Amino acid sequence: MPSLGPPPSAVNGPAPITAASPGTGPLARGLAVLRALAEHDATARVRPADLARTTGLARSVVDRVLATLEHLGHVRFEGRDVGLAVGLMELGNAYLTASGVPDALGPHIERLAAELDEPVSVGVADAGGVRVVARCGRPRTVSLAVRIGDLLPGDRCAAGALLAAAPQGPAGWAVDDQGAEPGLVAVAVPVHGPDGHPACAVTVTSHAGRHSADSLRETALPRLRAALPALEAALAAPPGTRPRAAPAEDPSPAAKRELGSAYLQSLARGLAVLRAFGVAGEAPRRGATLAELAAATGLARATARRALLTLTALGHVTAEGSRFRPLPSVLALGHAPLGELTFTDLVRPHLRELVRRVGESASMAVLDGDDIRYVARVPTVRIMSVDITIGTRFPAHATSMGRVLLAGTDRGGARPAPRALTPYTVTSPAELTALLAEVAREGYALVDQELEEGLRSIAVPVRDGLGNVVAALNVATHASRGTVDGLRRDVLPALRDTAARIEADLRTASTHRALPIG
């Protein structure tokens, strides 16, 4: 089985991409733009002209790259500014899935974090440093913001001393006493792969206000050493085989016809090959063959091979015999900043787009006992508007979002008797039960002036990757601005489309981390 860590040639990291680099094509230029965007916070927006200056690429080239990335769902425009979109996490997710490390070690580091009551992370060698590929945090007033995808300095962190090219000392552990960052102390141990070489390092971190380097070593090192056999056994265990990916169809020709010269087909195909590592191949950790990647993307073998050669030259893929594996540098393409988005951060751009589309306020809420609680909202600016803030609570039975959430939750007979809030409020338990059954069948709820006279709203459910209703999305309006039939005709399709986009982002953002909702 190939080593889980990158080969020595990959430790220097991906080659820098500039306008003057020999042989640069659309794929290399697109990756250069993504790296430039990844330097910013996930919620930041920059101008294309700034990206042109940063990358050294012509503005016309940057515009075509961004048009292609927007079509792929990897960036998002707001006016003339552009920023990262959650869909870009598909690239990093593909690496994490293909490496097998988070899936193999994730349950073990969760137990370690709970036992030690300190954050625990897993890092692999990359670009002369240590790339974080898994982590389990702990709730703290002073948080330690190490993110999946972050690159830690190899010469100043505990894990770096263990994963360096030089042979490690006999101690088999390392301590960082505020070398990586003032106030941060850490202790790490190497986890060896089946080939006997260090595949990754597990690190326990703490704040200097809680531990000195010596006290953290005394507390954490015995538990880390005790866990090592299970950690190394998890890496050595044969990964489960996965269903063979169904042959795909290359979507680029259709996109090229739609967008014309603005669409960079080779960029889209190269990123498709990177994403395919998450599904192609017999099993995680074993890599994928050219034939498997071509089938998973719908590309001709020659086309997939050209993309792989470029990705290999740029340090994002390595070849081992007939198999290819993505390298941890893929996480440098925006995974860390996107991975720190909250649920509210994730849904807010979708709400803004929905408001632009329908011209009315949009909100999201979760069920909180017998109430709904607002967790995100984008209002419209009108003389007469619905004034609701984040955290506002309303009785679930009298709201469209509440009915969607109640219909998607098995509450049995625990629901209290509904109370009247306006002359229109449904107060009969039998009638409410019948309404909830209809909401479950139809997939939406419409409430007309039951919460407040003059207020009308329509809502749809938002589901997680398992199909569970976890939130509700609605549009609210004053009754004087439209009819019930108009809401169904004009707003409901936009609501459903927005909910589907949010669900797709939720699945992507939650693939290798827990994303609390509400």
Side-chain angles (χ1 to χ4, degrees):
M1 184 182 297
S3 169
L4 295 175
S9 61
V11 174
N12 293 326
I17 307 169
T18 67
S21 299
T24 55
L27 177 54
R29 294 168 188 151
L31 293 173
V33 171
L34 284 175
R35 281 195 209 148
L37 276 171
E39 294 297 318
H40 299 270
D41 181 88
T43 58
R45 296 290 181 267
V46 298
R47 293 289 174 90
D50 297 329
L51 294 173
R53 284 191 292 271
T54 301
T55 59
L57 298 172
R59 172 61 190 273
S60 59
V61 171
V62 171
D63 287 342
R64 294 177 69 196
V65 166
L66 291 175
T68 305
L69 294 174
E70 182 185 29
H71 181 85
L72 297 173
H74 294 340
V75 303
R76 184 189 305 276
F77 275 90
E78 292 197 9
R80 291 186 294 171
D81 297 337
V82 65
L84 301 174
V86 172
L88 180 61
M89 292 183 74
E90 293 175 351
L91 302 180
N93 286 343
Y95 161 74
L96 294 170
T97 298
S99 78
V101 173
D103 290 337
L105 301 190
H108 298 275
I109 68 169
E110 288 178 5
R111 283 194 292 271
L112 282 168
E115 292 171 6
L116 296 168
D117 196 25
E118 298 289 356
V120 180
S121 62
V122 180
V124 299
D126 182 39
V130 176
R131 186 80 63 180
V132 179
V133 299
R135 66 177 298 274
C136 183
R138 305 300 292 167
R140 290 280 186 274
T141 302
V142 179
S143 61
L144 303 174
V146 177
R147 309 168 299 184
I148 295 176
D150 274 337
L151 183 67
L152 307 180
D155 58 345
R156 300 200 309 277
C157 72
L162 302 172
L163 299 177
Q168 66 182 56
W173 54 271
V175 169
D176 168 24
D177 188 1
Q178 306 186 63
E181 185 174 333
L184 179 71
V185 293
V187 60
V189 295
V191 181
H192 293 80
D195 60 2
H197 294 96
C200 58
V202 174
T203 303
V204 178
T205 54
S206 188
H207 193 270
R210 286 175 53 82
H211 276 289
S212 67
D214 287 341
S215 71
L216 182 63
R217 174 179 54 78
E218 292 170 0
T219 300
L221 187 56
R223 186 65 196 91
L224 283 170
R225 282 175 160 167
L228 267 178
L231 292 167
E232 293 181 344
L235 283 185
T241 58
R242 53 190 179 191
R244 186 178 297 274
E249 182 177 346
D250 177 17
S252 287
K256 186 73 174 177
R257 288 192 296 271
E258 177 185 345
L259 298 180
S261 61
Y263 186 77
L264 298 175
Q265 193 165 247
S266 58
L267 168 59
R269 287 171 166 169
L271 296 180
V273 169
L274 267 185
R275 290 194 301 273
F277 279 106
V279 296
E282 179 182 335
R285 286 184 262 164
R286 291 181 178 167
T289 65
L290 173 60
E292 289 167 338
L293 291 166
T297 55
L299 299 175
R301 288 168 62 108
T303 303
R305 182 176 180 275
R306 284 195 296 272
L308 286 168
L309 289 174
T310 300
L311 291 168
T312 300
L314 295 173
H316 293 308
V317 169
T318 186
E320 295 176 351
S322 63
R323 293 189 173 274
F324 297 86
R325 290 189 300 109
L327 292 172
S329 62
V330 174
L331 295 171
L333 303 175
H335 199 86
L338 287 167
E340 66 180 354
L341 290 177
T342 65
F343 176 70
T344 301
D345 293 331
L346 184 149
V347 303
R348 191 179 290 118
H350 296 285
L351 295 186
R352 285 197 289 262
E353 178 58 32
L354 178 60
V355 169
R356 283 194 291 268
R357 187 169 170 181
V358 302
E360 299 288 356
S361 300
S363 307
M364 290 201 74
V366 296
L367 198 60
D368 192 349
D370 298 320
D371 297 333
I372 61 166
R373 175 168 49 83
Y374 281 70
V375 296
R377 179 168 168 78
V378 173
T380 53
V381 178
R382 296 181 183 273
I383 295 175
M384 182 171 59
S385 61
V386 180
D387 186 17
I388 298 171
T389 58
I390 303 301
T392 296
R393 300 167 67 100
F394 289 126
H397 71 275
T399 66
S400 61
M401 288 192 288
R403 287 186 183 169
V404 161
L405 292 165
L406 290 172
T409 306
D410 184 9
R411 292 280 295 269
R415 193 176 300 119
R419 58 190 177 91
L421 301 172
T422 76
Y424 305 98
T425 307
V426 173
T427 57
S428 163
E431 186 177 354
L432 180 60
T433 298
L435 283 172
L436 294 180
E438 181 181 358
V439 169
R441 287 194 306 272
E442 299 295 330
Y444 75 95
L446 196 155
V447 168
D448 188 9
Q449 305 185 75
E450 295 187 47
L451 177 67
E452 182 176 329
E453 290 189 66
L455 179 64
R456 184 177 287 151
S457 68
I458 187 170
V460 296
V462 174
R463 302 177 186 274
D464 63 13
L466 299 176
N468 301 312
V469 176
V470 294
L473 170 69
N474 93 331
V475 165
T477 184
H478 197 274
S480 64
R481 288 204 293 270
T483 65
V484 168
D485 288 341
L487 279 179
R488 290 194 183 95
R489 181 187 65 248
D490 301 329
V491 175
L492 182 57
L495 269 176
R496 285 176 163 159
D497 179 59
T498 302
R501 294 173 186 271
I502 291 172
E503 289 170 350
D505 277 359
L506 278 177
R507 288 192 297 272
T508 299
S510 303
T511 300
H512 288 285
R513 64 156 180 154
L515 182 65
I517 298 174

